[in-house]
Amino acid sequence: MAPSSSDLKPNGVVGNRSTAKNETTSPEKTDTILTFGKFKLRGKTDDLPQEWWFASTAIPLLAATIGPLANVLSIAALVSKWRVKLPDNGQLPGGLDALGINIPDPEWEIILNAISLGCGFFGNFCLLLNFTQRIRYIVALPATIISWYFATGILIAITVAMNQYVPPARPGETYSQGFWHAIIAAILYLIGSMILMVNMLGYFLGHYPQHFELDDDQRTLILQTMMFFFWLAGGAAVFSKLCDISYADALYFCDVTVLTVGFGDVVANTNTSRGLVFPYSVIGIIFLGLMINSIRKFASGMSKDNVIKKHTLNERARTFSRSVTSEKELRDRLGLPPKRESTEFYRQPRLSSNLEPVRRTSLDQYGHFDVQGRNITFKERKSKAPAQGGGRGGAGRNHKPKPPLSRDAKMRQRAAGKEPHVKRANRREKLIMLKEEKDRFNAMRDIQAHTNRFKQYYALAWSVFAFGILWCVGALGFMYAERRIQNLSYFDALYFCYVSLLTIGYGDFSPRSNAGKPLFIVWSLVAVPTMTILVSDMGNTVVSAINRGTFTLADWTVMPKEGVWHDFVLKHPKLEGWLERRAKKLEAKKRVEEGFRVQNPDEEEGSTGNNVEEDIVKKPTLEKLAEEAPTVTEHDLARKLAIAIKRTANDLRLETPKKYSYEEWVEFTRLIRFSNTKRPEDVDEEEEEEGLIEWDWIGEDSPMLADVSESEWILDRLCESLNRYTRKQARDTKRHHLEHDQAFTIHSPEHLQLTSESSRKRQALHHDHHIDTYPAHPGPRSPGAYGHGRRNSQGYYDGAALKTPVLSRGPSGDEVVRIRREKGEGSVDGGEGSSGGSGITAVVSREEGKKTEKN
């Protein structure tokens, strides 16, 4: 089928226009997706899932850091001469690179270098406009990539041309720091362009929309990075003028000053420059600290969203798959036969050495169960039963030969995990017994603790890895860069890099070559912040472990802690079990030595204290208390709900997010669920409308897996419960008014006669016992509110004078109802007034009214 004219693009490519639709979003937020074969160009905003998180978030920030650094190095390459003439024809010790005399550069080199710098600035400016969304992503990003490629190409062309047409005459001449600055700047421009192409490829493949998804912290990092490099480049220009040194040396001096390395090879040699060091170094160190803090926050947040959260979900799924709640489920997981109820299945009890009967469980015949806390490890016992014939307890059952399976059946069996080697692997796996709700809660707390440790050591591992790479690779670079002047060995280079990383700066080794100083600027700006982050990560892991070890040693030695032995035994179940068995043996041996005690017939049975079971009061578990109907009223729970909301709101102000105990969660759960009056089958529908009501601690809907803190999650649920409670009260009030109006509507005089007799009996009872009755809904306080008619003999207003059908109250709290009747009807017994009036007055009690309505 030929494509229509609307699908033909100017370049001849057939395109397919599809729209991303989402019922939950408004039409304004739905953008068009253009499809060109495998390429899917998404709009600016959509609700489709985003993938390639490193390409979509980390690469733009990395490019925003590389761009300004490349611009600073390009400035140094432009303002510096690329060749120098060495004294003593380059012979040491007089022929040092720092003593070289500049050689003028060709005019074409300066022009091309300036064009390269302009392309670099333009690419960086387009990237900044892309971050602020001033220019469309599809326009700004290609502009940045092309500009940086142009800058790279121009710098590479200049270096090749200089080396081909006007190379330095060695050994009396060599390249200056400006030349090596240009080489490093070209490399940085190339790296930035290539990684931005990866980001653009992810957009073309439809992994994320056409904009950089950056939060405030990431935008702050970009701003701080630009400000730091601006401060570095501006300070180099000022110190170059004040100290009468080259711009390249001034840039090296500013770098060493801000990073607090301080080799001492380049120093401020005038009073003005020395006075300027005070504010410059302090402000530069502040910029550096802010930038390092933002880098650490960005790395931590990126790992939390993409690595730590995934690890938590995997741990939860692994725990959920290993959890069992009953013996039946345990047998199913281990592939054991179901439990038999017959007595033949159990072996006869045997007697131990201490004459106590030991009854084996039904699972002991299949292997050994190693139980440590909630963890259960099953070690299968190799059966020695014959292939045929029976055995006691079913251990030697006859196994009928199984029919051969087809290939498809074998594949299905393998997929279902029912193969023998899969079952044996499952039996070797550690299972977790989670019988009670608290066990599931504690299991999720263990997952959180394990995830927290993983997060700390994961960050530490990456910091150590980055530190090792920068240390070893940097040492290799300085060894080759300083070979002519210092002839450093690899060990010397390692020593120099280590001293620089720790910002010690002894000064015995420092960069002295024209290639070593530019390399040190770039290397130190990456390595020193990495070292700072490593020290911070070590503070959360290694230093904390050392502190815990120190406190533990003090608890056992110089400052003994009460109960330290008891806690140690509880942490080691095997040792606790051995001590309990030893205590029982010693107690049994002591009883045997003392002999059996004969009970005195005069003593009452149970007075010896042996009948302990009757004295034990079985207390309900915490789970049952949470599930039982509350003994307090709804109004009491509503008052507690308000207090709980205030408490959790205060917990949100804490610096460290609070984690609540199981008992506190039980109370919160009761306050969340008490306002839910719907049937269980309607809970899912209500959760979609009003939030979560039911959850599983180790399930996918666990509150501990939420992206917010526990206090914030609980506060949201409590507010939803309060909202349900207020709506329920409004519905109850409305229903009460409807029932009230229906209950006191009387349709016949016979009903009125019955209610009048009941009213007289209640009045007599009231006068006999002198009880003051107060109505639930009192009427108006002023007598005139009932009308201006006269009172009858019983003290009630005459019905003919009533002007409104609203109920009024008598002295006993009974309602006074106005009843209309047709003409010709007689007067009603028990009611007084004229028979020819348009209405009569009757006393109707609430209970009689309800009975009448039912009848």
Side-chain angles (χ1 to χ4, degrees), residues 353-371:
S353 57
N354 54 1
L355 301 180
E356 291 183 357
V358 178
R359 188 178 185 86
R360 299 187 60 182
T361 63
S362 59
L363 295 173
D364 289 341
Q365 59 181 333
Y366 301 108
H368 174 67
F369 286 87
D370 185 11
V371 181

Side-chain angles (χ1 to χ4, degrees), residues 28-204:
E28 289 77 4
K29 292 186 178 181
T30 303
D31 291 334
T32 303
I33 298 179
L34 300 179
T35 304
F36 300 90
K38 293 183 179 180
F39 294 134
K40 299 179 181 179
L41 306 183
R42 293 165 60 173
K44 291 184 178 180
T45 56
D46 54 30
D47 291 333
L48 298 178
Q50 296 189 15
E51 301 173 349
W52 286 23
W53 56 269
F54 185 83
S56 63
T57 305
I59 283 181
L61 290 178
L62 187 60
T65 305
I66 291 176
L69 178 58
N71 293 151
V72 172
L73 298 181
S74 296
I75 294 174
L78 178 62
V79 300
S80 302
K81 305 300 181 181
W82 281 26
R83 298 170 300 169
V84 292
K85 184 177 181 180
L86 302 176
D88 298 338
N89 199 24
Q91 299 297 322
L92 298 176
L96 298 176
D97 291 353
L99 302 178
I101 300 174
N102 294 327
I103 300 177
D105 293 329
E107 186 177 354
W108 56 267
E109 182 268 338
I110 299 175
I111 295 174
L112 292 178
N113 204 347
I115 295 175
S116 173
L117 178 60
C119 292
F121 270 121
F122 179 75
N124 202 15
F125 181 70
C126 291
L127 184 64
L128 181 61
L129 294 180
N130 198 354
F131 284 134
T132 57
Q133 298 182 2
R134 300 289 183 179
I135 303 179
R136 293 181 59 190
Y137 171 89
I138 199 64
V139 176
L141 191 62
T144 301
I145 295 174
I146 294 173
S147 299
W148 284 357
Y149 269 129
F150 270 116
T152 302
I154 293 173
L155 288 176
I156 293 177
I158 295 174
T159 54
V160 172
M162 288 285 293
N163 192 53
Q164 183 69 26
Y165 297 105
V166 284
R170 300 184 185 277
E173 296 179 355
T174 186
Y175 285 115
S176 67
Q177 297 184 45
F179 175 83
W180 295 106
H181 278 300
I183 294 293
I184 299 175
I187 295 174
L188 292 178
Y189 281 136
L190 180 63
I191 294 175
S193 302
M194 293 176 65
I195 62 177
L196 286 179
M197 286 187 65
V198 175
N199 177 271
M200 199 166 186
L201 177 63
Y203 163 68
F204 283 149

Side-chain angles (χ1 to χ4, degrees), residues 807-819:
L807 303 179
S808 58
R809 299 269 177 179
S812 61
D814 298 330
E815 284 79 0
V816 181
V817 188
R818 180 187 180 191
I819 306 298

Side-chain angles (χ1 to χ4, degrees), residues 601-612:
D602 295 336
E603 294 180 359
E604 295 182 0
E605 184 178 359
S607 61
T608 58
N610 294 330
N611 193 10
V612 182

